[in-house]
Every structure is written in structure tokens, then in C-alpha cells.
Amino acid sequence: MPVYRDEAVVLRTHKLGEADRIVTMLTRQHGKVRAVAKGVRRTASKFGSRLEPFMVADVQLYEGRSLDVVTQAESLGAYGALIADDYASYTAANAMVETADRLTEAEASLQQYLLLVGALRSLSKREHGASLTLDSYLLRALSLAGWAPSFLDCSRCGTAGPHDHLVVQLGGVVCDDCAPQGAPRLDAQTIALLGALLTGDWAAADDTDDNTRSKASGVVAAYTQWHLERGLRSLQHVQHERKANG
């Protein structure tokens, strides 16, 4: 299969030489692909702008020994410029693509691809608050990776909820019997928002105040970083931006 086509969302890029760029993409059918886009840093490049972070493109690639080579790129979703125009959306999008990069090391996942594309599209259209879109994406991406949290029944023993102890290391809310000594309690509004973000209940999520959203974001950030084991660099910028606007 020396030449193949696929849909791809650009996760990140790196300069290579004077005019080329290495593009890391999450594709619809082939998982994560690293490829060289030759000449894209020249002003006369036909498809350089289509291979920027957050862009979705129909790409044709030539299979190489270590890196594939992009030979064509047609835009499917020009989200990059729209996202970059808003700092909150930009920092959220960076956290999304970094998470996708980390979660798709092993194998292709159509669901992860569709989830990321949908989240970036929503960010570009400002359909919901940037922090809500990011937190929903993170919870759902982790769920697809096998780390679905519970915000109703006890995540340890399964006792029917609601429960208000939340322990990220145990997978969400836990009952009184399973809660470690000193385990923090969360108010019902924040737990309800977390559940709405996980299931995509946007009517409920949009109808929340900033304080509740801030608490939920703290839980999502802790849950994400616990399961990814290493901290997300881009998530630190999101948290700084939230504090600056808080």
C-alpha cells in the first residue's frame, strides 16, 4: 500500500529543514500518522494552510520507511483560524489534541477521531463555553479509552447513588463505606454537571454558573492527569487562563 488516502485532523507540527514540516495527524482509518509535508513552509505552497493544527483534511500519503509523505491535502474543516481567534478556545483545543495524541499511541480508533473532530467543530462555532466543551471531550475521550468515570453509582462497589464523595483514583463518586478517610465531598450541582458533560446533556450543562463549572473543571483535570500519568502541558495553560478570568 505505497499510496493511500484518509481523513485526518492535525494534532501538531514540527519544522523540518528550511521548507518542510513534520505533521502528526489522527486519521479516520489508520490511527495516528506522522508524515512529512514537503515545501509547506514556502509562501507558494498549495496546501500548507490545510495542514495546520486543528484543521481537518482529506489527505493522500505515500508510505515511507520511517515517515510517510503527504502528497495532497484538501480541506474538510477549516477550524484552525476560528479557534485561534479566541484564546479560551485556543487553549482548550491544544489540550484536546494533546490528549488525543496521548490516547492514540497504540491503535486506530474511529470513535476517538470522530469525537475530536466534533469537539473542534463545536469550539470553532462557539456552540458552548470553551471550558465545557473541553471538559466534555476529556471525559468522553477517557471513557472511550476504557476509563469511564461514574458520577452516580459507587465506582468501587456499585452501590446505587447518588453519592457525594469523589475520589478520582477510584474512578468517580464513592459511597460512604468505600470513601477513604478525609475524602472530599462535592455539591450536587457540580456532580450533576459532570454527569451532563459525560453524557452530552448540553441543555443541563449550559444552564450552570461559573462557580459550578470551575469546580467541575478541577475534577476533570485531576481525573485526566491521573489516568494519563504525566501532566498535560497544555492543560496548565487552560487552568491559568481560567484563573485570570476568574
Side-chain angles (χ1 to χ4, degrees):
M1 188 182 63
V3 177
Y4 65 98
R5 297 190 72 92
D6 207 343
E7 294 179 15
V9 55
V10 179
L11 304 180
R12 54 192 169 89
T13 65
H14 297 289
K15 293 179 181 179
L16 179 66
E18 294 184 358
D20 303 340
R21 185 173 281 146
I22 296 175
V23 183
T24 302
M25 301 171 283
L26 179 60
T27 67
R28 186 184 182 100
Q29 300 176 45
H30 295 85
K32 193 163 66 176
V33 171
R34 295 178 75 240
V36 176
K38 295 187 175 181
V40 295
R41 290 164 54 205
R42 297 193 182 103
T43 55
S45 171
K46 295 181 179 179
F47 54 77
S49 62
R50 301 167 194 166
L51 295 174
E52 295 291 338
F54 322 136
M55 302 292 276
V56 182
D58 181 343
V59 294
Q60 179 174 290
L61 302 107
Y62 180 84
E63 196 173 274
R65 289 185 178 180
S66 57
L67 293 172
D68 295 349
V69 178
V70 181
T71 56
Q72 292 181 14
E74 299 295 333
S75 179
L76 296 176
Y79 306 135
L82 295 171
I83 288 172
D85 278 346
D86 178 69
Y87 185 69
S89 297
Y90 178 74
T91 55
N94 273 295
M96 289 176 185
V97 296
E98 185 181 354
T99 300
D101 197 2
R102 296 272 287 277
L103 289 177
T104 54
E105 290 288 353
E107 57 187 29
S109 171
L110 175 61
Q111 291 102 332
Q112 290 284 7
Y113 171 81
L114 294 174
L115 178 65
L116 178 60
V117 171
L120 292 173
R121 182 188 301 117
S122 181
L123 269 183
S124 72
K125 294 182 176 180
R126 313 286 193 267
E127 291 179 342
H128 312 285
S131 65
L132 291 178
T133 304
L134 170 60
D135 290 340
S136 179
Y137 168 78
L138 292 173
L139 290 174
R140 296 164 89 173
L142 290 167
S143 296
L144 289 174
W147 297 312
S150 174
F151 298 122
L152 180 61
D153 300 335
C154 178
S155 59
R156 187 173 187 183
C157 71
T159 299
H163 305 293
D164 61 0
H165 289 288
L166 193 138
V167 184
V168 296
Q169 296 89 337
L170 297 179
V173 295
V174 291
C175 64
D176 290 342
D177 291 337
C178 291
Q181 185 174 2
R185 294 180 185 269
L186 267 186
D187 58 273
Q189 291 84 357
T190 302
I191 293 175
L193 173 56
L194 289 166
L197 293 171
L198 178 61
T199 60
D201 184 353
W202 288 109
D206 289 334
D207 190 28
T208 53
D209 58 43
D210 290 342
N211 185 50
T212 300
R213 295 181 186 187
S214 179
K215 292 179 184 177
S217 291
V219 171
V220 174
Y223 191 77
T224 300
Q225 306 214 54
W226 168 261
H227 284 291
L228 294 184
E229 296 180 353
R230 303 194 313 274
L232 292 173
R233 289 176 297 174
S234 52
L235 200 54
Q236 297 174 4
H237 296 294
V238 172
Q239 294 166 335
H240 290 158
E241 191 270 338
R242 285 172 180 161
K243 290 178 181 179
N245 291 308

